[in-house]
Amino acid sequence: MSAGEAITFVDSHTEGEPTRTVLSGGPALAGRTVAEMAADLGGRHDWFRAACVNEPRGHDVLVGAMLVPSPDPDCVVGVIFFNNAGVLGMCGHGTIGVVRTLAHLGRIERSARRTVRLDTPVGTVSATLVPGDDGTAAVEVENVPARVAVRDLALDLGGGRRVTGDVAWGGNGFYLCADHGERLDVGNWRALTDLSLRIRAALDALGPGAAGGVRVDHVELVGPPHDPRNSARNFVLCPGGAYDRSPCGTGTSAKLACLAARGALAPGDVWRQESVVGSVFESWYRAAPGGGIVPVIRGRAWITAEGSLVLEASDPFRHGIVPHASVPDR
Ligand code: PYC
């Protein structure tokens, strides 16, 4: 795409993790449902995903959120999330960023508590904008149901190193590990990233059967909080090799499912999940009718930029650079 409609966007960050909400200028996607449109974006139009989030117009940490029409009249909009590695099923921090962006654009009333429904490739989520007295706005996202697929899955990482963790699904697939032996400090991100990549490689080697059929593309290292007001801290490695600056909405959903399955957190009790940069999501759950849980994640987002992307026809990098060929594609 070089000429044609401008690719307009609003950037935000949710507790430190950036979201680029793409408002217009995307390709016409085939499909009736948002899941079908997401498959078309990730298939025929993958260049558009890469142009929006990869360098030089984006960066590895950025998550894109393309707004599309929803066939469900109860939903204000459909959303397709994507990152440097491909299309995502759901994204908790991204949903908070999109709702904050819709309020910024006046598409959702900002002054009152207001609940909207969003159509995602993995199902409908509802989100409530909660205006604060100081001008901030929190968003509470009721996610799709989360569940534990495998408990206490041991992995041999080689070199005598073994870890144990649970496989859970919270809109994306996670391996959650507590016995990693690493410091969950942002200054230790290289070691945390290397370990998470080794965990992912070990899971891949076992095959999908070992993970209970869940496609695990996120690794969540968990540990005690640094701030005693919080319940736990995490480091989440995303599919494209970047780590989540927020506590990860789908990762917190997966964590709640694990806690619920072990009887370690009662329905309605608040779990304060701290990220590796110290930001926090509050969360809680209720039992899901079909098994598992319905998680709710609450976090804040701020607008950081508005603009349009330009893809000049002569620019060899108009469809993005993939700088980390060493990180296996997911
Ligand atoms: O908040 O769910 C999330 C998320 C997934 C990947 C990055 N953030």
Side-chain angles (χ1 to χ4, degrees):
M1 178 182 279
S2 50
E5 206 189 331
I7 303 168
T8 60
F9 68 88
V10 175
D11 280 357
S12 58
H13 80 82
T14 303
E15 305 294 354
E17 179 77 349
T19 305
R20 173 162 289 168
T21 303
V22 179
L23 307 172
S24 66
L29 298 176
R32 200 186 67 81
T33 65
V34 174
E36 288 166 355
M37 288 185 253
D40 195 37
L41 177 66
R44 287 192 305 147
H45 305 289
D46 201 49
W47 63 270
F48 183 76
R49 172 198 63 76
C52 290
V53 292
N54 284 2
E55 296 174 22
R57 291 166 185 79
H59 52 86
D60 278 359
V61 187
L62 187 59
V63 169
M66 182 174 171
L67 303 187
V68 294
S70 165
D72 181 345
D74 289 340
C75 291
V76 282
V77 76
V79 190
I80 303 170
F81 295 107
F82 50 89
N83 64 9
N84 57 345
V87 171
L88 288 163
M90 226 308 268
C91 183
H93 94 267
T95 303
I96 293 170
V98 165
V99 170
R100 178 66 182 80
T101 294
L102 293 175
H104 171 73
L105 296 171
R107 297 194 193 173
I108 297 177
E109 193 190 335
R110 212 189 141 172
S111 55
R113 198 180 155 96
R114 175 83 206 282
T115 301
V116 293
R117 291 166 75 79
L118 305 175
D119 200 355
T120 81
V122 295
T124 301
V125 299
S126 73
T128 304
L129 186 80
V130 186
D133 295 338
D134 57 355
T136 59
V139 178
E140 287 172 11
V141 178
E142 186 175 288
N143 196 1
V144 292
R147 65 187 169 83
V148 178
V150 182
R151 275 167 67 161
D152 299 322
L153 177 63
L155 296 176
D156 189 344
L157 305 184
R161 195 158 183 184
R162 280 174 76 80
V163 291
T164 308
D166 293 344
V167 175
W169 196 83
N172 294 300
F174 288 81
Y175 180 79
L176 299 99
C177 172
D179 65 356
H180 45 78
E182 292 287 346
R183 277 183 302 114
L184 295 185
D185 287 341
V186 73
N188 198 30
W189 70 271
R190 279 183 204 281
L192 296 169
T193 299
D194 287 350
L195 175 63
S196 302
L197 289 171
R198 283 173 71 186
I199 288 176
R200 226 169 58 182
L203 280 163
D204 285 351
L206 289 181
V214 170
R215 181 172 177 267
V216 178
D217 53 8
H218 291 69
V219 175
E220 183 166 348
L221 307 179
V222 296
H226 287 194
D227 182 337
R229 288 172 300 180
N230 299 330
S231 315
R233 173 172 271 238
N234 69 15
F235 169 90
V236 176
L237 191 79
C238 298
Y243 68 88
D244 198 330
R245 275 61 169 163
S246 85
C248 191
T250 51
T252 301
S253 301
K255 176 70 184 170
L256 292 177
C258 296
L259 291 164
R262 289 174 191 277
L265 187 74
D269 282 0
V270 173
W271 181 264
R272 288 175 57 88
Q273 184 67 57
E274 183 182 277
S275 76
V276 74
V277 304
S279 56
V280 175
F281 282 160
E282 285 188 346
S283 62
W284 55 94
Y285 75 89
R286 62 182 165 81
I293 61 155
V294 177
V296 179
I297 310 297
R298 179 188 168 110
R300 299 159 306 164
W302 290 267
I303 303 300
T304 55
E306 304 185 72
S308 55
L309 301 179
V310 176
L311 310 187
E312 288 196 281
S314 62
D315 179 355
F317 297 126
R318 66 191 181 285
H319 296 165
I321 298 168
V322 180
H324 299 308
S326 58
V327 175
D329 275 354
R330 309 295 297 178

